[in-house]
């Protein structure tokens, strides 16, 4: 559904011309889940898919050598006012470090990632493709690196 290879990913540069209404969402280092729950009283997650899959090349570059691991790709819609406002794609190696994460069903992944002080977030990257803005970052769970990408849909800014 979402092809991250089409986005121009980079570390944020303050000289970029990013629309003012996008910046607070794109650059927030806290939990997107918490921010969406604050904005939408009816916030919920719809799981589109969570299956074994091959990551895109740009995702593999961030995750390093995971060629011998089973990879689960989780794609979800984050909804507010009964409409998708964010599309999220997570690339998660399947192992003992990630078993808990892979069993959350329709719970937001962000809740687990930000509630556990042992989980570390690496540098945030921003991306754009045809006017759509996104961000992504890796998280380290135990000894396992996983990737979370979030695509901000136009409805979010309304």
């Amino acid at each position: 559904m979402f092809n991250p290879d089409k986005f121009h990913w980079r570390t944020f540069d303050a000289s970029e011309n990013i629309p003012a209404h996008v910046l607070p969402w794109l650059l927030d280092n806290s939990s997107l889940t918490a921010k969406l729950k604050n904005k939408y009283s009816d916030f919920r997650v719809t799981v589109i898919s969570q299956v074994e899959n091959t990551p895109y090349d740009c995702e593999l570059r961030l995750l390093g050598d995971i060629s011998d691991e089973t990879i689960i790709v989780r794609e979800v819609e984050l909804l507010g006012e009964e409409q998708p406002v964010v599309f999220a794609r997570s690339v998660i190696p399947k192992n003992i470090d990630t078993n808990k994460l892979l069993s959350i069903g329709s719970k937001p992944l962000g809740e687990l990632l930000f509630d556990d002080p042992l989980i570390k977030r690496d540098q945030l990257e921003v991306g754009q493709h045809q006017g759509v803005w996104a961000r992504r970052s890796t998280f380290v769970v135990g000894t396992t690196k996983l990737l979370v990408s979030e695509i901000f849909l136009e409805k979010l800014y309304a």
Side-chain angles (χ1 to χ4, degrees), residues 48-62:
I48 297 168
S49 68
Q50 183 171 316
V51 296
E52 187 176 329
N53 206 338
T54 302
Y56 287 94
D57 288 342
C58 71
E59 295 170 327
L60 287 171
R61 280 192 294 278
L62 289 175

Side-chain angles (χ1 to χ4, degrees), residues 35-103:
K35 193 167 182 160
L36 290 170
K37 283 183 173 183
N38 190 44
K39 180 172 179 161
Y40 300 106
S41 61
D42 68 339
F43 171 79
R44 66 184 173 89
V45 175
T46 300
V47 178
I48 297 168
S49 68
Q50 183 171 316
V51 296
E52 187 176 329
N53 206 338
T54 302
Y56 287 94
D57 288 342
C58 71
E59 295 170 327
L60 287 171
R61 280 192 294 278
L62 289 175
L63 293 174
D65 183 19
I66 56 171
S67 57
D68 60 340
E69 296 193 51
T70 299
I71 305 299
I72 303 298
V73 176
R74 174 182 164 96
E75 295 184 331
V76 300
E77 290 177 325
L78 308 178
L79 292 102
E81 298 175 354
E82 295 298 317
Q83 295 185 24
V85 293
V86 175
F87 175 79
R89 175 182 169 92
S90 303
V91 179
I92 307 169
K94 186 178 180 181
N95 60 39
I96 195 158
D97 290 336
T98 61
N99 281 340
K100 183 177 176 185
L101 297 177
L102 292 171
S103 64

